[in-house]
């Protein structure tokens, strides 16, 4: 997002087209400028009204030959065709794109809505502007917006000064990188599980299809393995129609079935090793 002539509306339309076609590997990123590229030139910036801000690049900073140095991304945050508010709207939508498409969270429920011809990106936009009654979800969104804005600086000098101060305050050690999409996706998945509640409040398709959607939301909320107890499984009660939608076999004529989810032996082993490595680091 941020290329010349791109508007918030046109970018959202492109994302929606990709979602409706169920592209597997999908992410939304912000345009940043590099020295040597055509859009970096002053004439091009003026032509398209490109306004930029600077943000840190992960953990690439420290002392080299006695001097503090850091890398940055010069991010396009507005242009002749979109505002900073548009930039932040797309930034918020990008978080849910990462959550659903990269992490696979609620992918079953979202794919069902696509099959039922529902628009997804406008739904994401509504979710990222939640009603006050969804306190947990609204709290995560508020924190995300605050951190996304706080990582932006007017100049590279301001960014460098802030990183240098943080570096010194941390005993000349590099702080853990923000990685906002990763961090906040983990909040949705393993923190306060409020994604399904908000989704249900915005979608009402009625009848048997509503039963399938509710089952898929329930599955999506519970299908992630328990990190601290990797060998434990979860059993849900789902409708026969849901199993048919998931293309799972039904051996008799019952209306509901037990749906049991267990991690594979390889997954269990990985999580056991993970717990051994990070047992003293709850935040990881």
């Amino acid at each position: 997002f941020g290329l010349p002539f791109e508007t918030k509306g046109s970018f959202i339309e492109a994302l929606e087209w990709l979602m409706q076609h169920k592209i597997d590997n999908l992410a939304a990123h912000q345009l940043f400028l590099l020295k040597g590229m055509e859009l970096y030139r002053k004439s091009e910036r003026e032509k398209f009204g490109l306004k930029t801000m600077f943000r840190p690049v992960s953990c690439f900073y420290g002392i080299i030959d006695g001097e503090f140095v850091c890398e940055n991304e010069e991010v396009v945050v507005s242009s002749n065709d979109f505002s900073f508010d548009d930039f932040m709207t797309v930034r918020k939508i990008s978080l849910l794109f990462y959550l659903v498409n990269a992490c696979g969270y609620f992918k079953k429920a979202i794919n069902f809505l696509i099959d039922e011809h529902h628009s997804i990106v406008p739904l994401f936009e509504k979710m990222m502007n939640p009603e006050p009654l969804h306190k947990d979800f609204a709290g995560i969104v508020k924190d995300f917006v605050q951190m996304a804005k706080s990582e932006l600086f007017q100049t590279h000098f301001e960014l460098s000064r802030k990183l240098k101060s943080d570096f010194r305050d941390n005993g000349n050690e590099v702080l853990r990188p923000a990685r906002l999409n990763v961090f906040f996706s983990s909040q949705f998945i393993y923190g306060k599980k409020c994604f399904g509640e908000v989704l249900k409040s915005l979608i009402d398709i009625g009848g048997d299809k509503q039963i399938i959607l509710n089952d898929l939301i329930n599955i999506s909320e519970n299908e992630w393995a328990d990190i601290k107890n990797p060998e434990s499984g979860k059993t849900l009660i789902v409708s026969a129609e849901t199993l048919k939608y998931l293309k799972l076999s039904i051996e008799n004529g019952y209306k509901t079935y037990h749906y049991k989810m267990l991690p594979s032996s390889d997954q269990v082993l990985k999580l056991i090793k993970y717990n051994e490595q990070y047992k003293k680091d709850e935040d990881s």
Side-chain angles (χ1 to χ4, degrees):
F1 181 65
L3 288 166
F5 307 114
E6 189 81 89
T7 66
K8 184 190 83 169
S10 67
F11 193 73
I12 284 177
E13 286 179 8
L15 295 182
E16 182 65 36
W17 189 92
L18 293 167
M19 288 294 292
Q20 292 296 328
H21 285 76
K22 295 184 179 179
I23 305 301
D24 289 332
N25 192 354
L26 177 60
H29 297 282
Q30 294 81 46
L31 171 68
F32 62 92
L33 305 183
L34 296 168
K35 292 179 180 179
M37 66 188 289
E38 189 170 349
L39 286 177
Y40 189 89
R41 300 171 187 169
K42 182 180 178 181
S43 59
E44 297 297 302
R45 293 173 186 248
E46 292 176 349
K47 178 180 178 181
F48 300 113
L50 302 182
K51 304 297 182 185
T52 63
M53 296 183 77
F54 296 80
R55 69 182 179 192
V57 180
S58 191
C59 53
F60 299 131
Y61 61 90
I63 303 293
I64 298 179
D65 294 335
E67 182 180 357
F68 181 83
V69 296
C70 66
E71 290 192 29
N72 68 74
E73 289 178 346
E74 186 179 0
V75 185
V76 177
V77 297
S78 67
S79 75
N80 292 336
D81 300 294
F82 71 94
S83 66
F84 181 76
D85 286 342
D86 293 338
F87 169 83
M88 287 305 304
T89 295
V90 173
R91 184 76 175 89
K92 289 191 290 182
I93 291 172
S94 299
L95 170 61
L96 294 194
F97 259 74
Y98 181 86
L99 177 65
V100 171
N101 294 298
C103 300
Y105 193 55
F106 271 75
K107 190 70 171 178
K108 292 181 178 67
I110 296 300
N111 278 344
F112 178 72
L113 290 175
I114 292 171
D115 291 338
E116 294 301 316
H117 311 293
H118 280 269
S119 297
I120 303 303
V121 183
L123 173 63
F124 284 173
E125 186 171 0
K126 287 181 181 178
M127 294 183 75
M128 292 305 284
N129 292 280
E131 297 293 332
L133 60 95
H134 299 298
K135 293 182 179 179
D136 290 339
F137 199 99
I140 295 175
V141 173
K142 181 180 178 181
D143 290 343
F144 175 78
V145 170
Q146 181 179 351
M147 290 186 68
K149 288 182 177 179
S150 69
E151 70 175 1
L152 297 172
F153 296 83
Q154 292 292 338
T155 65
H156 171 71
F157 175 75
E158 291 179 10
L159 166 63
S160 178
R161 183 170 58 186
K162 178 64 167 61
L163 287 179
K164 184 177 182 180
S165 174
D166 292 344
F167 183 72
R168 286 179 171 174
D169 291 344
N170 198 44
N172 285 356
E173 292 287 339
V174 175
L175 292 167
R176 179 176 295 150
R179 298 297 300 277
L180 297 188
N181 283 350
V182 178
F183 179 78
F184 282 95
S185 290
S186 73
Q187 296 298 303
F188 281 120
I189 296 169
Y190 285 113
K192 297 174 180 178
K193 295 190 176 183
C194 46
F195 193 95
E197 174 191 346
V198 176
L199 186 60
K200 283 181 181 178
S201 72
L202 295 173
I203 296 291
D204 183 9
I205 55 181
D208 291 341
K209 291 180 179 179
Q210 186 68 47
I211 294 173
I212 296 174
L213 177 61
N214 290 343
D215 281 347
L216 294 174
I217 288 174
N218 198 19
I219 290 171
S220 297
E221 285 179 329
N222 289 280
E223 66 182 348
W224 285 67
D226 185 337
I227 292 178
K228 296 301 180 183
N229 301 287
E231 294 182 82
S232 63
K234 296 177 183 177
T235 302
L236 307 175
I237 296 177
V238 302
S239 71
E241 295 303 314
T242 301
L243 296 182
K244 290 178 183 177
Y245 172 75
L246 294 173
K247 295 181 171 57
L248 297 175
S249 60
I250 299 175
E251 297 180 357
N252 50 48
Y254 295 136
K255 291 183 178 180
T256 59
Y257 292 79
H258 288 94
Y259 182 95
K260 189 167 186 177
M261 295 172 285
L262 288 167
S264 69
S265 56
D266 286 342
Q267 289 172 325
V268 170
L269 183 60
K270 287 179 181 178
L271 288 172
I272 289 174
K273 290 181 177 178
Y274 173 86
N275 284 322
E276 290 172 352
Q277 183 176 358
Y278 292 105
K279 57 186 175 182
K280 294 182 181 179
D281 187 359
E282 292 294 326
D283 186 52
S284 68

